[in-house]
Amino acid sequence: MENVDPLGIHTGESIVVAPSQTLSNREYNQLRTTAIEVIRHFGVVGECNIQYACNPNSEEYYIIEVRL
């Protein structure tokens, strides 16, 4: 999913769409690979939600939440 409007106080206040609309294939795969590394690091079995903050002008991103 991808937020399509600026974030409010909480990401739950933002409109989201799925699948992502603005990520390039390279960006999508970079975030996917990172997600796989994170769940392996934590030993997650089952569902996991990872939220990223991505800079639209570069490939810079931050993990802002991992919810098991």
Side-chain angles (χ1 to χ4, degrees), residues 10-58:
H10 185 271
T11 57
E13 298 174 351
S14 187
I15 297 169
V16 297
V17 294
S20 298
Q21 302 294 303
T22 64
L23 295 177
S24 69
N25 191 45
R26 178 180 168 89
E27 291 166 326
Y28 173 83
N29 282 302
Q30 180 181 28
L31 298 178
R32 181 181 180 279
T33 299
T34 300
I36 291 168
E37 291 173 359
V38 167
I39 64 171
R40 285 184 178 155
H41 174 79
F42 287 120
V44 175
V45 175
E47 296 180 12
C48 179
N49 174 32
I50 300 176
Q51 292 185 22
Y52 297 96
C54 301
N55 184 336
N57 301 314
S58 71

